[in-house]
Amino acid sequence: MVDRKDIGSWLTGPDTSGISKYPGARLGLPESGPGSMARAGRRILAICIDWVIALAISNFAFGGNQWATLAVFAVEQILLIGTLGYSIGHRVAGIHVVRLGGSQAGPLAAFVRTVLLCLVIPAVVFDPDQRGLHDRAVNTILIRM
């Protein structure tokens, strides 16, 4: 015989008891303000700014070649995130990339993160803390300044 509890369980939805109340709670980050997880709006703004900069440089120097635009974008990300912890777009949006412990990402993490970001899919697939697969792969997070 089928128990009514088993039948009704699919109607109640998935168990959400293990999911945190806000992005970054499981990582020990504050809910809002400096040091909190950068939300999607800031991240999208930052990547749009960086892409426009790469597109402008590519149009001027390489005639708008699509691969040159991607290369300029990648070089900007690797150099700036690897040294400063943020790109131009990140700075404008008020966010930066750090390791989970709070230290700077560093050149190797910036390189791997950028390669995965340029593949697009790892950047649009994310966890409950809104960390993309490219950030999870190198143990980094985007936080508000």
Side-chain angles (χ1 to χ4, degrees), residues 71-133:
V72 169
F73 176 80
V75 167
E76 176 202 8
Q77 295 291 306
I78 292 168
L79 290 177
L80 295 178
I81 292 173
T83 57
L84 302 174
Y86 52 82
S87 67
I88 296 168
H90 289 149
R91 185 66 178 182
V92 170
I95 59 179
H96 62 120
V97 179
V98 296
R99 289 199 179 273
L100 276 180
S103 63
Q104 212 160 333
L108 182 59
F111 176 79
V112 173
R113 183 181 186 278
T114 300
V115 168
L116 293 173
L117 179 63
C118 288
L119 294 175
V120 178
I121 299 300
V124 297
V125 177
F126 49 90
D127 67 9
D129 288 313
Q130 296 182 356
R131 287 175 62 204
L133 294 180

Side-chain angles (χ1 to χ4, degrees), residues 6 23 49 51 60-61 65 67 93 103 108 112 123 134 143:
D6 292 335
I49 290 169
W51 190 257
F60 178 73
N65 180 288
W67 293 107
S103 63
L108 182 59
V112 173
H134 64 302
I143 61 172

